[in-house]
Amino acid sequence: MARPFPAVFRPVWRRNFCVSTPKRAIDKLCDSAPEAIKEMKGSSTVLVGGFGFSGVPNTLIDAVRDRPDITDLTVVSNNAGMPGAGLGQLLETKQISKMIASFIGENKVFEKMYLTGDLALELTPQGSIAEKCAAGAAGVPAFYTPAAYGTIVQTGELPVRYNKDGSVAETSKPKETREFNGKNYLLEESIFGDYALVKAHKADKLGNCQFRKAMNNFNEAMGKNAKYTIVEADHIVEVGEIAPEDIHLQSIYVNKVIQSLGEKQIEKLTFAKDPSEMLKAGSGEATARRERIVKRAAKEFQDGMYVNLGIGMPLIAPSYLPEGVEVVLQAENGILGLGGYPQPGEEDPDLINPGKETVTLGRGASLFGSHESFGMIRAGRIDLTMLGALQVSQYGDLANFMLPGKVKGVGGAMDLVANPEKTKVVVTMEHVDKKGNSKILPECSFPLTGPRCVWKIITDLAVFNVSPTEGLTLAEHAEGVSVDEIRSKTAAPFKVADDLKPMLAEIIKIEHPVRGDDTRAWGPPYATYKDGRDGEGESAYYLSVNRNKRSLGLSFAHPEGVEILHELARRCDVLVENYLPNSLKKYSLDYETIRHINPRLIYASITGYGQTGPYSNRPGFDVMVEAEFGLAHLTGSRDGPPVKVGVAVTDLTTGLYACNSIMAALLARGITGEGQHLDVCLSDCQVATLANMGSSVLISGEKDSGRWGTAHPSVVPYQSFKTADGDIFVGGANDRLFGILCEKLEKPEWKDDERFSSNNERVRNRNILESMIEAETSKLTTKEWQQIFEGSGLPFAVVNDVQGTMNHEHVRARGMVQTIDHPSCGPIKVISPPVKYSNAEPSIRSPPPLLGQHTQEILREVVGFSDSRIQELKEKGVVA
């Protein structure tokens, strides 16, 4: 016999498929927010969804505000809005007695009420809040998490409530800890809400809800958690209008639904702008520091990475990603595939980043709740997280959430650094604080965000690798910053890497992939190859001017070569070229083209005769310019022919002028944010270095006095004189020095001779005086005259050949010759950088490169090409 159904049973099929019933039995719609909350009572735990201003149930919050009888609320929310907005209103009406939140942010009312004892605050990591709500929704009373282990959240030292005098009235409770698989965790108890106030995009009469863009955040977990969930929706729709697969919050969790009122607000309206604008920080010096940090930080990204970025400098770093390198940005508020900032008119209140700024979505992006977002993070699915810091210890402890007397909140940082074994933690920060105190310490003095979690520190001065057992290793230094300076500004001890490198400053030399730089063939002499490769070796000329460079063998006759140069120009600070004016235009490598790719680029054109003028299209070499513009005419013996200077002095002075102008343009860019075109030419620089000789002609209006050999046209005696076995140069450039010379020549009477009593007289009678001096100097050897003049105060010098110069005791004592290891030629001697700095150690960091020696690594590291792509370019002859 069949068992009868209970009388109260009503088959679901009868309700679902009946077409004669005009109205559904279940209808959770309310006419207003006051009606929806009419049963709400005080002394309750209320879960309030939203993140920043996104997904905040403002209509319901306003209704609670208008019920002054609802007091003594414990509110769980990521943050508490702003003064006069969102939950900020309930703080001001003092309806909230306790907040469970992760972030105070810029809400000064919130911060003041907490610090003055008017409000209890249980600061909780953002991911833990999300998981506490999700676990409670699933009926799980507690769970273990690595987030906040080793911090004051775990030890129970976090102030929950202050007294009026600022003393601590109540602290948090210590958390139970346990080890699983060699890793430490703490026990978090789940949250069980009495009420949840939730914001949805769409809701139907049954209570099914759909979220839009980043609205999900805490709304889903909180909506599923509470005993009584009230939803306000932008759009109330008929049952069935939301596709089953698009329902995020199911009707079983929802008690009431109302129409959301009022316009959506945006907390931080942010539009797309040039990275240089985002880097600006007051002074040009501060901007330069930020730029150095951000550009170096961008090098940490590798193709295919999943990355989470903190607010501030980390968020700017993707702007400097090389072409072809793709990383997927994850945001704690439920976005995978975060895009850049929107253009004006494209902003969306429902789409913000963790910094509350308006953003866009990248191709292939996905959206979800905060509980799932932090699940990804804690599980180590994120390859790298980059965030700022107040302090970092020598073993990688991180402090970045609390200063004495100031509280911003923990946010999501404790979760982000909770799995350093799988997620690399990179810190970007200035090396010292505003008072000049080091931010890298033996131990952090501020409360920890996470213990022994930092993998790398990038500052404006240096890059440190961090080991939780070995401590700090200095891996890179900023250009011009010495190890001693870094030590003086780093409170923690550190080791120096054997292969210490510069942070950013590098020179990429673009060479023809077959011939290379012309100077490679300017020999002999050559430093011969010792590794068996073909050829005579590397020319001494080439070796003299190409140290500290990397070689990229590339042909821009190929369109793909031009594309590579465009990408390099986009990423670099300075481009130097020495082609005839307008000849690069056909390759789209001229200034007008390049400046649109990178408006901040300093583009220096070095030519023979400049970008304008009747000779501008002439090719120019040093000796031609020496001849054309006066130097050869002034060089040589008195009655001899014009002579070329012994080294390419016009080339060298032009290089120095170019270097100075580049540095000046970089300083200007720090103020204006704009690059510029520098027109530097041999002819102009040669005219400028005529110096006093050029000025003499301009002032007198007469022809110059011609060649003077080693003598000076306006100062006597000031030249080389023969000795018994060579030559010696003396400079009696004023009356006092001339007097010393007379004494040392044992001719004191010359000082009183009217013919030599002043420089004017000595110039007028120079032939007589010069003959008299040489008659005396010829009596002794050069070495004997050295001994006589030494210590007298008279400027003098022996005339040495080049080998004698390189072996000179003073040259050696000043470290002007050093030996470096060349990859193919073995140990070679080279001339050192000439300037000594008190706070820096300029060095020859790398030998002059072989042709194309760095092609592979430049295209891979800087441009972001794969090895297979590089091989393809090599086979086409684009690179070598």
Side-chain angles (χ1 to χ4, degrees), residues 458-489:
I458 300 172
T459 77
D460 51 312
L461 301 182
V463 175
F464 289 97
N465 294 327
V466 189
S467 164
T469 55
E470 300 298 321
L472 299 170
T473 300
L474 177 64
E476 301 173 30
H477 64 94
E479 189 71 14
V481 176
S482 68
V483 173
D484 286 342
E485 181 181 354
I486 294 169
R487 284 196 191 281
S488 72
K489 294 178 178 178

mmCIF file of all heavy atoms in Angstrom, residues 458-489:
data_model
loop_
_atom_site.group_PDB
_atom_site.id
_atom_site.type_symbol
_atom_site.label_atom_id
_atom_site.label_comp_id
_atom_site.label_asym_id
_atom_site.label_seq_id
_atom_site.Cartn_x
_atom_site.Cartn_y
_atom_site.Cartn_z
ATOM 1 N N ILE A 458 63.799 46.998 -3.360
ATOM 2 C CA ILE A 458 64.244 47.926 -4.398
ATOM 3 C C ILE A 458 64.057 49.344 -3.856
ATOM 4 O O ILE A 458 62.931 49.755 -3.560
ATOM 5 C CB ILE A 458 63.441 47.746 -5.697
ATOM 6 C CG1 ILE A 458 63.604 46.328 -6.232
ATOM 7 C CG2 ILE A 458 63.879 48.771 -6.750
ATOM 8 C CD1 ILE A 458 62.699 46.003 -7.408
ATOM 9 N N THR A 459 65.153 50.076 -3.697
ATOM 10 C CA THR A 459 65.081 51.454 -3.222
ATOM 11 C C THR A 459 65.673 52.378 -4.281
ATOM 12 O O THR A 459 66.114 51.932 -5.346
ATOM 13 C CB THR A 459 65.856 51.646 -1.903
ATOM 14 O OG1 THR A 459 67.282 51.704 -2.171
ATOM 15 C CG2 THR A 459 65.585 50.518 -0.926
ATOM 16 N N ASP A 460 65.710 53.669 -3.971
ATOM 17 C CA ASP A 460 66.306 54.626 -4.901
ATOM 18 C C ASP A 460 67.824 54.512 -4.935
ATOM 19 O O ASP A 460 68.461 55.041 -5.847
ATOM 20 C CB ASP A 460 65.901 56.051 -4.528
ATOM 21 C CG ASP A 460 66.165 56.357 -3.061
ATOM 22 O OD1 ASP A 460 65.788 55.535 -2.210
ATOM 23 O OD2 ASP A 460 66.730 57.423 -2.761
ATOM 24 N N LEU A 461 68.417 53.806 -3.978
ATOM 25 C CA LEU A 461 69.873 53.683 -3.925
ATOM 26 C C LEU A 461 70.376 52.299 -4.311
ATOM 27 O O LEU A 461 71.506 52.178 -4.796
ATOM 28 C CB LEU A 461 70.386 53.994 -2.511
ATOM 29 C CG LEU A 461 70.085 55.373 -1.931
ATOM 30 C CD1 LEU A 461 70.727 55.503 -0.546
ATOM 31 C CD2 LEU A 461 70.588 56.475 -2.843
ATOM 32 N N ALA A 462 69.562 51.269 -4.086
ATOM 33 C CA ALA A 462 70.113 49.922 -4.218
ATOM 34 C C ALA A 462 69.018 48.879 -4.392
ATOM 35 O O ALA A 462 67.832 49.152 -4.188
ATOM 36 C CB ALA A 462 70.945 49.585 -2.978
ATOM 37 N N VAL A 463 69.467 47.667 -4.757
ATOM 38 C CA VAL A 463 68.607 46.483 -4.779
ATOM 39 C C VAL A 463 69.266 45.434 -3.888
ATOM 40 O O VAL A 463 70.445 45.131 -4.046
ATOM 41 C CB VAL A 463 68.440 45.922 -6.204
ATOM 42 C CG1 VAL A 463 67.633 44.630 -6.174
ATOM 43 C CG2 VAL A 463 67.771 46.952 -7.105
ATOM 44 N N PHE A 464 68.492 44.924 -2.926
ATOM 45 C CA PHE A 464 68.977 43.879 -2.032
ATOM 46 C C PHE A 464 68.194 42.593 -2.276
ATOM 47 O O PHE A 464 66.961 42.619 -2.389
ATOM 48 C CB PHE A 464 68.768 44.266 -0.567
ATOM 49 C CG PHE A 464 69.671 45.364 -0.070
ATOM 50 C CD1 PHE A 464 69.233 46.674 -0.043
ATOM 51 C CD2 PHE A 464 70.950 45.076 0.395
ATOM 52 C CE1 PHE A 464 70.043 47.685 0.427
ATOM 53 C CE2 PHE A 464 71.775 46.084 0.863
ATOM 54 C CZ PHE A 464 71.325 47.396 0.878
ATOM 55 N N ASN A 465 68.906 41.483 -2.336
ATOM 56 C CA ASN A 465 68.263 40.181 -2.229
ATOM 57 C C ASN A 465 68.190 39.828 -0.750
ATOM 58 O O ASN A 465 69.121 40.127 0.009
ATOM 59 C CB ASN A 465 69.059 39.128 -2.994
ATOM 60 C CG ASN A 465 69.050 39.384 -4.491
ATOM 61 O OD1 ASN A 465 68.075 39.894 -5.034
ATOM 62 N ND2 ASN A 465 70.137 39.049 -5.169
ATOM 63 N N VAL A 466 67.078 39.220 -0.338
ATOM 64 C CA VAL A 466 66.859 38.949 1.085
ATOM 65 C C VAL A 466 66.669 37.458 1.304
ATOM 66 O O VAL A 466 65.863 36.819 0.630
ATOM 67 C CB VAL A 466 65.620 39.712 1.610
ATOM 68 C CG1 VAL A 466 65.552 39.597 3.137
ATOM 69 C CG2 VAL A 466 65.639 41.173 1.187
ATOM 70 N N SER A 467 67.412 36.924 2.262
ATOM 71 C CA SER A 467 67.264 35.523 2.653
ATOM 72 C C SER A 467 66.793 35.475 4.108
ATOM 73 O O SER A 467 67.340 36.187 4.951
ATOM 74 C CB SER A 467 68.597 34.782 2.530
ATOM 75 O OG SER A 467 68.561 33.558 3.241
ATOM 76 N N PRO A 468 65.805 34.632 4.419
ATOM 77 C CA PRO A 468 65.325 34.553 5.803
ATOM 78 C C PRO A 468 66.349 33.953 6.762
ATOM 79 O O PRO A 468 66.183 34.046 7.976
ATOM 80 C CB PRO A 468 64.082 33.658 5.700
ATOM 81 C CG PRO A 468 64.280 32.862 4.459
ATOM 82 C CD PRO A 468 65.045 33.742 3.519
ATOM 83 N N THR A 469 67.411 33.366 6.212
ATOM 84 C CA THR A 469 68.451 32.776 7.064
ATOM 85 C C THR A 469 69.800 33.473 6.915
ATOM 86 O O THR A 469 70.544 33.617 7.878
ATOM 87 C CB THR A 469 68.624 31.287 6.738
ATOM 88 O OG1 THR A 469 68.882 31.131 5.331
ATOM 89 C CG2 THR A 469 67.379 30.501 7.107
ATOM 90 N N GLU A 470 70.109 33.948 5.697
ATOM 91 C CA GLU A 470 71.415 34.558 5.442
ATOM 92 C C GLU A 470 71.389 36.085 5.517
ATOM 93 O O GLU A 470 72.428 36.726 5.606
ATOM 94 C CB GLU A 470 71.920 34.131 4.059
ATOM 95 C CG GLU A 470 72.094 32.638 3.879
ATOM 96 C CD GLU A 470 73.120 32.046 4.817
ATOM 97 O OE1 GLU A 470 74.155 32.707 5.038
ATOM 98 O OE2 GLU A 470 72.882 30.943 5.345
ATOM 99 N N GLY A 471 70.213 36.678 5.443
ATOM 100 C CA GLY A 471 70.124 38.133 5.518
ATOM 101 C C GLY A 471 70.234 38.814 4.173
ATOM 102 O O GLY A 471 69.847 38.254 3.138
ATOM 103 N N LEU A 472 70.798 40.026 4.181
ATOM 104 C CA LEU A 472 70.801 40.904 3.007
ATOM 105 C C LEU A 472 72.057 40.728 2.167
ATOM 106 O O LEU A 472 73.163 40.608 2.695
ATOM 107 C CB LEU A 472 70.725 42.368 3.453
ATOM 108 C CG LEU A 472 69.495 42.799 4.247
ATOM 109 C CD1 LEU A 472 69.711 44.196 4.820
ATOM 110 C CD2 LEU A 472 68.261 42.790 3.354
ATOM 111 N N THR A 473 71.861 40.765 0.849
ATOM 112 C CA THR A 473 72.984 40.812 -0.093
ATOM 113 C C THR A 473 72.744 41.958 -1.056
ATOM 114 O O THR A 473 71.712 42.005 -1.736
ATOM 115 C CB THR A 473 73.114 39.497 -0.885
ATOM 116 O OG1 THR A 473 73.333 38.414 0.027
ATOM 117 C CG2 THR A 473 74.280 39.577 -1.864
ATOM 118 N N LEU A 474 73.674 42.898 -1.091
ATOM 119 C CA LEU A 474 73.576 44.020 -2.032
ATOM 120 C C LEU A 474 73.849 43.497 -3.434
ATOM 121 O O LEU A 474 74.955 43.044 -3.735
ATOM 122 C CB LEU A 474 74.577 45.117 -1.647
ATOM 123 C CG LEU A 474 74.649 46.327 -2.574
ATOM 124 C CD1 LEU A 474 73.322 47.088 -2.586
ATOM 125 C CD2 LEU A 474 75.791 47.254 -2.181
ATOM 126 N N ALA A 475 72.844 43.540 -4.295
ATOM 127 C CA ALA A 475 72.964 42.991 -5.649
ATOM 128 C C ALA A 475 73.197 44.072 -6.690
ATOM 129 O O ALA A 475 73.876 43.846 -7.691
ATOM 130 C CB ALA A 475 71.710 42.196 -6.001
ATOM 131 N N GLU A 476 72.608 45.266 -6.474
ATOM 132 C CA GLU A 476 72.732 46.352 -7.443
ATOM 133 C C GLU A 476 72.820 47.680 -6.707
ATOM 134 O O GLU A 476 72.286 47.823 -5.604
ATOM 135 C CB GLU A 476 71.513 46.372 -8.378
ATOM 136 C CG GLU A 476 71.302 45.099 -9.170
ATOM 137 C CD GLU A 476 69.993 45.108 -9.952
ATOM 138 O OE1 GLU A 476 69.552 46.205 -10.348
ATOM 139 O OE2 GLU A 476 69.402 44.032 -10.147
ATOM 140 N N HIS A 477 73.491 48.630 -7.331
ATOM 141 C CA HIS A 477 73.576 49.974 -6.768
ATOM 142 C C HIS A 477 73.156 50.984 -7.822
ATOM 143 O O HIS A 477 73.344 50.764 -9.023
ATOM 144 C CB HIS A 477 74.999 50.286 -6.295
ATOM 145 C CG HIS A 477 76.001 50.303 -7.415
ATOM 146 N ND1 HIS A 477 76.363 51.453 -8.084
ATOM 147 C CD2 HIS A 477 76.705 49.301 -8.016
ATOM 148 C CE1 HIS A 477 77.239 51.168 -9.017
ATOM 149 N NE2 HIS A 477 77.456 49.859 -9.017
ATOM 150 N N ALA A 478 72.577 52.087 -7.393
ATOM 151 C CA ALA A 478 72.224 53.145 -8.331
ATOM 152 C C ALA A 478 73.488 53.779 -8.886
ATOM 153 O O ALA A 478 74.525 53.816 -8.220
ATOM 154 C CB ALA A 478 71.374 54.203 -7.633
ATOM 155 N N GLU A 479 73.404 54.265 -10.108
ATOM 156 C CA GLU A 479 74.547 54.896 -10.755
ATOM 157 C C GLU A 479 75.043 56.061 -9.915
ATOM 158 O O GLU A 479 74.266 56.906 -9.455
ATOM 159 C CB GLU A 479 74.156 55.385 -12.148
ATOM 160 C CG GLU A 479 75.341 55.860 -12.993
ATOM 161 C CD GLU A 479 76.245 54.730 -13.445
ATOM 162 O OE1 GLU A 479 75.840 53.553 -13.344
ATOM 163 O OE2 GLU A 479 77.355 55.019 -13.903
ATOM 164 N N GLY A 480 76.360 56.090 -9.655
ATOM 165 C CA GLY A 480 76.941 57.180 -8.880
ATOM 166 C C GLY A 480 76.830 57.000 -7.377
ATOM 167 O O GLY A 480 77.265 57.873 -6.617
ATOM 168 N N VAL A 481 76.272 55.881 -6.944
ATOM 169 C CA VAL A 481 76.118 55.629 -5.509
ATOM 170 C C VAL A 481 77.110 54.536 -5.111
ATOM 171 O O VAL A 481 77.101 53.443 -5.672
ATOM 172 C CB VAL A 481 74.682 55.196 -5.166
ATOM 173 C CG1 VAL A 481 74.566 54.851 -3.685
ATOM 174 C CG2 VAL A 481 73.701 56.293 -5.526
ATOM 175 N N SER A 482 77.957 54.839 -4.143
ATOM 176 C CA SER A 482 78.990 53.889 -3.736
ATOM 177 C C SER A 482 78.461 52.920 -2.695
ATOM 178 O O SER A 482 77.436 53.154 -2.043
ATOM 179 C CB SER A 482 80.196 54.638 -3.152
ATOM 180 O OG SER A 482 79.838 55.244 -1.918
ATOM 181 N N VAL A 483 79.191 51.835 -2.518
ATOM 182 C CA VAL A 483 78.847 50.868 -1.483
ATOM 183 C C VAL A 483 78.934 51.526 -0.114
ATOM 184 O O VAL A 483 78.107 51.276 0.776
ATOM 185 C CB VAL A 483 79.766 49.631 -1.568
ATOM 186 C CG1 VAL A 483 79.519 48.692 -0.383
ATOM 187 C CG2 VAL A 483 79.546 48.889 -2.873
ATOM 188 N N ASP A 484 79.938 52.405 0.059
ATOM 189 C CA ASP A 484 80.083 53.096 1.343
ATOM 190 C C ASP A 484 78.873 53.968 1.652
ATOM 191 O O ASP A 484 78.414 54.033 2.797
ATOM 192 C CB ASP A 484 81.348 53.957 1.339
ATOM 193 C CG ASP A 484 82.613 53.111 1.458
ATOM 194 O OD1 ASP A 484 82.496 51.945 1.884
ATOM 195 O OD2 ASP A 484 83.698 53.613 1.115
ATOM 196 N N GLU A 485 78.340 54.665 0.631
ATOM 197 C CA GLU A 485 77.155 55.484 0.861
ATOM 198 C C GLU A 485 75.966 54.602 1.245
ATOM 199 O O GLU A 485 75.186 54.943 2.143
ATOM 200 C CB GLU A 485 76.802 56.310 -0.376
ATOM 201 C CG GLU A 485 75.575 57.193 -0.164
ATOM 202 C CD GLU A 485 75.188 58.018 -1.380
ATOM 203 O OE1 GLU A 485 75.941 58.004 -2.385
ATOM 204 O OE2 GLU A 485 74.140 58.680 -1.326
ATOM 205 N N ILE A 486 75.820 53.481 0.557
ATOM 206 C CA ILE A 486 74.716 52.568 0.876
ATOM 207 C C ILE A 486 74.866 52.055 2.310
ATOM 208 O O ILE A 486 73.890 51.981 3.060
ATOM 209 C CB ILE A 486 74.662 51.416 -0.135
ATOM 210 C CG1 ILE A 486 74.308 51.961 -1.527
ATOM 211 C CG2 ILE A 486 73.640 50.359 0.286
ATOM 212 C CD1 ILE A 486 74.476 50.962 -2.643
ATOM 213 N N ARG A 487 76.113 51.730 2.700
ATOM 214 C CA ARG A 487 76.328 51.264 4.074
ATOM 215 C C ARG A 487 75.953 52.344 5.087
ATOM 216 O O ARG A 487 75.356 52.066 6.131
ATOM 217 C CB ARG A 487 77.794 50.872 4.280
ATOM 218 C CG ARG A 487 78.170 49.551 3.657
ATOM 219 C CD ARG A 487 79.482 49.028 4.206
ATOM 220 N NE ARG A 487 79.967 47.909 3.424
ATOM 221 C CZ ARG A 487 79.533 46.668 3.516
ATOM 222 N NH1 ARG A 487 78.562 46.380 4.366
ATOM 223 N NH2 ARG A 487 80.042 45.705 2.759
ATOM 224 N N SER A 488 76.296 53.592 4.763
ATOM 225 C CA SER A 488 76.022 54.682 5.699
ATOM 226 C C SER A 488 74.522 54.936 5.862
ATOM 227 O O SER A 488 74.105 55.505 6.874
ATOM 228 C CB SER A 488 76.721 55.964 5.231
ATOM 229 O OG SER A 488 76.080 56.514 4.088
ATOM 230 N N LYS A 489 73.725 54.521 4.884
ATOM 231 C CA LYS A 489 72.287 54.768 4.941
ATOM 232 C C LYS A 489 71.470 53.493 5.164
ATOM 233 O O LYS A 489 70.249 53.498 5.036
ATOM 234 C CB LYS A 489 71.842 55.456 3.644
ATOM 235 C CG LYS A 489 72.448 56.857 3.503
ATOM 236 C CD LYS A 489 72.044 57.529 2.209
ATOM 237 C CE LYS A 489 72.636 58.938 2.135
ATOM 238 N NZ LYS A 489 72.302 59.620 0.865
#
